[in-house]
Amino acid sequence: MQKDLARQWAEQGFIHVPSLFSKTEIERLLNICNRIREQAFIADPTSDVPAKPNGHCFRHLNHPDYFKGRQDEYIFMMNTICDERILSVVNTILNQKALFRTTSYFYEPKDGILDGNWHRDTQFGLKIESEENAKILECAKLPSTGVQMQIALEPSEDVEFVPRSHKRWDTPEEYNIRLANNQTNNRSNEMPNALRFIQKPGDMIAFDPNGLHRGRYHSNKIRRTLMLTYSTVANFDYFTNQPWLLNKENISILPPKTQVFFNQFVDAFKHHWQPQETAGAI
């Protein structure tokens, strides 16, 4: 099975693993994530700006300030991030042991309907089209260096991806939607060959973010998706800036295998972090 997933990832740019987690596990994850969501609306411990009810995503659900007096929930969340069912897939795709990167929670806005914009993640770091094109073609020749895994906690049909688009530049039709006319048409529902993922609770999808993709955020359609991101390279940025993991007391309460996984992440990035930013003990 793992080899088939690796082959599909390389050729199609995505994978779909149904029922990766049990109903009981998903119900507990949903309760924890929804509780954290309500807390984030009041105070996001990683920034001075609370999460927005009319937003659609916030990061770092592993921050210990979300788990004061809830040690069992903290251990469950941290164990989930490095669950062997997930890592076996990630490590197969990347052909090496992956590092943790970040957690994200996607949810529907309180008001409004928004079909997301078609994009490739490469466009946010490379504003010149020729450079983005070159980057995509360069990455196509190399093994993947990261995986974003989305686990549905509620039924979802809110993610779309264009298979095989991760290793080539836009076709004229795709370009007209994604980039033409200053991106005025990038929320079009007419993207050729777009695949909409249909997920039941516990299903996992992952796709190469260099490929064409988008999300959907409708107030009348519940979306609760936990995204776990992994990487093979130590690129420091907002996502990997997690100095609260320097608190050894919070790491010491985790099972040995979980401690090893997060200590590897800490060792890769701690030289960027400021100790005064660490969170208190749970």
Side-chain angles (χ1 to χ4, degrees), residues 200-219:
K200 297 178 180 178
D203 291 356
M204 181 276 291
I205 60 167
F207 54 83
D208 189 321
N210 287 352
L212 288 158
H213 64 280
R214 71 167 179 175
R216 181 173 64 174
Y217 312 102
H218 292 186
S219 60

Side-chain angles (χ1 to χ4, degrees), residues 183-220:
Q183 303 181 30
T184 56
N185 195 38
N186 65 8
R187 300 188 191 279
S188 170
N189 292 318
E190 302 300 324
M191 178 64 76
N193 303 312
L195 172 65
R196 183 179 295 280
F197 296 107
I198 300 175
Q199 291 178 271
K200 297 178 180 178
D203 291 356
M204 181 276 291
I205 60 167
F207 54 83
D208 189 321
N210 287 352
L212 288 158
H213 64 280
R214 71 167 179 175
R216 181 173 64 174
Y217 312 102
H218 292 186
S219 60
N220 61 346

Side-chain angles (χ1 to χ4, degrees), residues 42 45 70 86 88 94 97 116-117 152 154 179 222 242 255:
I42 300 171
R70 299 174 181 270
I86 292 175
S88 63
L94 300 180
K97 287 189 176 181
N117 60 302
E154 296 274 13
L179 293 172
I222 292 177
Q242 301 181 42

Side-chain angles (χ1 to χ4, degrees), residues 237-252:
D237 58 14
Y238 162 78
F239 299 107
T240 48
N241 184 30
Q242 301 181 42
W244 53 86
L245 290 173
L246 289 170
N247 187 316
K248 295 183 179 179
E249 186 175 347
N250 291 337
I251 297 296
S252 68

Side-chain angles (χ1 to χ4, degrees), residues 87 90-98 143-145 232-233:
L87 293 184
V90 174
N91 295 339
T92 297
I93 290 173
L94 300 180
N95 198 30
Q96 60 180 290
K97 287 189 176 181
S144 296
T145 59
T232 63
V233 291

